[in-house]
Amino acid sequence: MTTPPSQSPAPAEDQAASPYPEIPVEATAPAKTKGKVGKLLLRFVGIVAVAVAVVLGTAVYNWLTDDPAIAEAGNCVHNSGTDAKPSVKVVDCGAADAEFKVLKRISYDDKNGCDNVENVVASYVVTGRESYTLCLGDNKK
């Protein structure tokens, strides 16, 4: 048995050429914008997370310690140092060593900031990264 010849016409060499030029098609990879956006978003989220952790860590540290930087009006403090070199810490107002009550807190260092505050017996001025002034009065028990 023989196989019949194929019925499809053979390409003719002499057929008329197309009036349009043939443009080669190259496979190009799509731009990787998704990966760049993801990396930028991840970096942003990481920076925000670190900033939040630092702020929360500082707040918890100040809350858990007796650092005078957290003192507000109404808190009591004790100076275990001298007048020339104070060492101030926040204490309970009922404690035996609670000698001063914070009358006013000024959020910058101002040696004369307590001049207009009534009943002030001392001021505690801190300069530096976190500057503030505490206007102190007697802790009357």
Side-chain angles (χ1 to χ4, degrees):
M1 188 173 202
T2 61
T3 309
S6 169
Q7 298 295 328
S8 61
E13 299 272 337
D14 57 354
Q15 285 184 349
S18 171
Y20 303 106
E22 188 174 322
I23 300 173
V25 178
E26 294 180 19
T28 58
K32 294 186 177 184
T33 58
K34 220 177 203 182
K36 289 181 183 178
V37 171
K39 285 181 183 178
L40 285 175
L41 183 61
L42 184 61
R43 184 175 290 163
F44 176 75
V45 169
I47 290 171
V48 169
V50 168
V52 167
V54 167
V55 169
L56 287 176
T58 302
V60 168
Y61 171 77
N62 286 338
W63 181 61
L64 294 176
T65 65
D66 53 8
D67 187 1
I70 63 169
E72 298 176 352
N75 292 138
C76 291
V77 295
H78 170 70
N79 179 17
S80 59
T82 65
D83 287 344
K85 289 192 176 199
S87 178
V88 176
K89 67 178 184 173
V90 176
V91 295
D92 182 73
C93 287
D97 61 348
E99 56 190 322
F100 300 108
K101 185 170 242 173
V102 178
L103 302 176
K104 181 177 181 181
R105 179 190 170 95
I106 302 170
S107 59
Y108 52 90
D109 57 331
D110 184 0
K111 293 178 182 175
N112 300 320
C114 298
D115 289 349
N116 296 328
V117 179
E118 290 184 33
N119 302 321
V120 171
V121 295
S123 63
Y124 179 65
V125 180
V126 175
T127 58
R129 187 179 63 123
E130 185 180 345
S131 299
Y132 59 92
T133 303
L134 299 178
C135 303
L136 306 174
D138 279 327
N139 182 29
K140 297 175 184 159
K141 297 176 190 172

